[in-house]
Amino acid sequence: MLIKDIIELLDATLVYGTDIDTREVHSGCGSDMMSDVLAFVKDQPVLLTGLCNPQVVRTAEMMDIMCLVFVRNKQPGEDMIALARQRNICILTTPHTMFTACGLLYAAGLRGGE
């Protein structure tokens, strides 16, 4: 699934990102616990989260996550956007809850990194 497809499916706003027409995501994960992300995530997924702090971007970098989606209209600060820009990690925001956003992506064919 392309990042541009995620934007459309989730009624998301692109906060930062490049190559959204060609960057492909192979799996997804939804979590507010970065320890779970570190333990269980693989395959360059998109991460959906309501946790909005620089630790999320640092975790994404460590796990080769290429796209962060902040649910419930959470808005990342300028420090987070700058950090994501340095690491070329796409940032989106969506008005949906995590449950709904994960369900929409799952229904469209995106699966977890099992």
Side-chain angles (χ1 to χ4, degrees), residues 9-13 48 69-75 92-97 101 104:
L9 285 166
L10 298 183
D11 303 314
T13 300
L48 291 87
V69 179
F70 293 100
V71 298
R72 300 184 311 275
N73 277 326
K74 297 279 182 118
Q75 298 296 315
L92 311 176
T93 62
T94 181
H96 296 293
T97 64
L104 289 168

Side-chain angles (χ1 to χ4, degrees), residues 31-34 47 49-61 68 70 74-81 83-84 91:
S31 183
D32 288 341
M33 294 184 62
M34 294 303 104
L47 172 62
T49 187
L51 184 63
C52 201
N53 65 42
Q55 180 69 21
V56 175
V57 180
R58 295 186 194 288
T59 301
E61 178 187 22
L68 297 170
F70 293 100
K74 297 279 182 118
Q75 298 296 315
E78 289 302 320
D79 56 336
M80 291 178 62
I81 297 168
L83 195 57
I91 295 180

Side-chain angles (χ1 to χ4, degrees), residues 17-113:
T18 60
D19 306 322
I20 62 169
D21 294 335
T22 59
R23 291 179 84 182
E24 191 169 1
V25 173
H26 302 285
S27 64
C29 172
S31 183
D32 288 341
M33 294 184 62
M34 294 303 104
S35 58
D36 281 354
V37 174
L38 289 168
F40 301 111
V41 172
K42 59 183 177 182
D43 194 27
Q44 297 187 343
V46 57
L47 172 62
L48 291 87
T49 187
L51 184 63
C52 201
N53 65 42
Q55 180 69 21
V56 175
V57 180
R58 295 186 194 288
T59 301
E61 178 187 22
M62 290 174 57
M63 302 307 296
D64 292 327
I65 292 169
M66 66 175 67
C67 183
L68 297 170
V69 179
F70 293 100
V71 298
R72 300 184 311 275
N73 277 326
K74 297 279 182 118
Q75 298 296 315
E78 289 302 320
D79 56 336
M80 291 178 62
I81 297 168
L83 195 57
R85 185 175 290 118
Q86 290 172 4
R87 285 140 176 90
N88 199 25
I89 298 170
C90 185
I91 295 180
L92 311 176
T93 62
T94 181
H96 296 293
T97 64
M98 189 180 318
F99 182 82
T100 299
C102 288
L104 289 168
L105 293 176
Y106 187 87
L110 193 66
R111 298 297 183 251

